[in-house]
């Protein structure tokens, strides 16, 4: 889904929208966020148009409708067994989005905003089932934080979150003691698949 911002009452915006929709092709979809209310005068008709300012609920509903191709039919992902995840992410927007995704999977999520806080939280009791660790952070990055966690004797699974796909990223993460490497952006189904091996149902006594 392509999301862009323009003015639904501007004739030039209509031409831009038509060009974008044509470039996307029939198997990809577009949503235009209009800076003006298009009701009673909007000229853009090709893509779905939603009006700024947005709420998270409206934006998610619009994206889900476009991704499924059926309005009002959001993508559903089965929840995971109960567990505790520590999310380490210095970017506040990313942190909020990832935390919400994890909670949608039925999993408790605590957050840390930097590497030093991540080390303290990961070594505290009760232990986490898994740590999602951003690699690129100011100060102590995710690699250094993971090395400190391992040096302290913790075996908590640590999954790297990176914004790049550079050759060698995965090897550097594994060498630091991380268990897996995930590239951002990550979808909810991809996140579920990454967490599933570390969140097991409670076994009966």
């Amino acid at each position: 889904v392509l999301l862009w911002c323009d003015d639904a009452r501007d004739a030039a915006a209509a031409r831009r929208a038509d060009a974008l929709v044509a470039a996307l092709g029939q198997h990809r979809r577009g949503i235009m966020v209009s800076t003006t209310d298009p009701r009673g005068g909007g000229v853009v008709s090709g893509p779905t148009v939603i009006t700024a300012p947005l709420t998270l609920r409206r934006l998610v509903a619009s994206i889900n409708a476009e991704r499924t191709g059926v309005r009002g039919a959001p993508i559903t992902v089965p929840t995971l067994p109960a567990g505790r995840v520590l999310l380490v992410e210095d970017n506040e927007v990313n942190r909020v989005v990832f935390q919400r995704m994890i909670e949608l999977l039925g999993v408790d999520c605590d957050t840390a905003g930097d590497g030093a806080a991540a080390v303290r939280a990961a070594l505290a009791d009760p232990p986490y089932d898994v740590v999602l660790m951003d690699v690129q952070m100011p100060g102590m990055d995710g690699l250094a934080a993971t090395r400190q966690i391992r040096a302290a004797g913790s075996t908590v699974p640590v999954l790297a979150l990176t914004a790049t796909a550079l050759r060698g990223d995965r090897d550097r993460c594994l060498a630091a003691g991380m268990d897996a490497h995930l590239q951002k952006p990550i979808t909810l189904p991809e996140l579920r698949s990454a967490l599933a091996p570390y969140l097991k149902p409670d076994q009966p006594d």
Side-chain angles (χ1 to χ4, degrees):
V1 176
L2 174 66
L3 183 72
W4 76 96
C5 187
D6 213 326
D7 183 351
R9 295 190 176 189
D10 183 355
R15 293 191 291 272
R16 289 190 290 269
D18 289 342
L20 286 169
V21 170
L24 285 170
Q26 62 179 359
H27 298 300
R28 297 180 62 195
R29 298 175 180 274
I31 301 173
M32 193 183 89
V33 181
S34 177
T35 54
T36 59
D37 189 340
R39 291 174 294 183
V43 294
V44 174
S45 59
T48 296
V49 178
I50 52 179
T51 306
L54 294 179
T55 64
L56 180 59
R57 183 182 298 276
R58 288 176 58 217
L59 181 59
V60 169
S62 296
I63 292 175
N64 279 334
E66 292 299 327
R67 290 180 62 179
T68 59
V70 179
R71 295 189 181 279
I75 293 174
T76 58
V77 176
T79 58
L80 288 165
R84 299 179 68 239
V85 170
L86 174 64
L87 168 65
V88 186
E89 170 63 70
D90 66 301
N91 182 283
E92 183 179 1
V93 174
N94 288 345
R95 192 163 61 244
V96 170
V97 171
F98 271 116
Q99 183 177 24
R100 179 57 179 153
M101 291 171 70
I102 293 166
E103 290 172 345
L104 284 172
L105 294 171
V107 179
D108 292 335
C109 179
D110 295 331
T111 65
D114 57 65
V119 173
R120 292 192 298 270
L123 298 179
D125 287 324
Y128 288 94
D129 294 294
V130 61
V131 176
L132 286 174
M133 180 79 74
D134 186 25
V135 172
Q136 296 179 327
M137 294 185 290
M140 182 187 296
D141 65 17
L143 299 177
T146 301
R147 285 192 286 265
Q148 286 202 18
I149 291 169
R150 296 295 182 240
S154 172
T155 60
V156 59
V158 179
L159 311 185
L161 294 172
T162 68
T164 63
L166 299 178
R167 181 175 297 178
D169 277 355
R170 181 178 182 277
D171 292 341
R172 284 191 289 272
C173 291
L174 296 180
M178 294 176 167
D179 295 85
H181 171 268
L182 307 174
Q183 184 183 342
K184 297 183 284 187
I186 186 170
T187 66
L188 189 60
E190 289 169 343
L191 182 59
R192 187 189 187 284
S193 296
L195 294 176
Y198 307 100
L199 299 170
K200 302 295 186 182
D202 292 333
Q203 298 298 321
D205 296 333

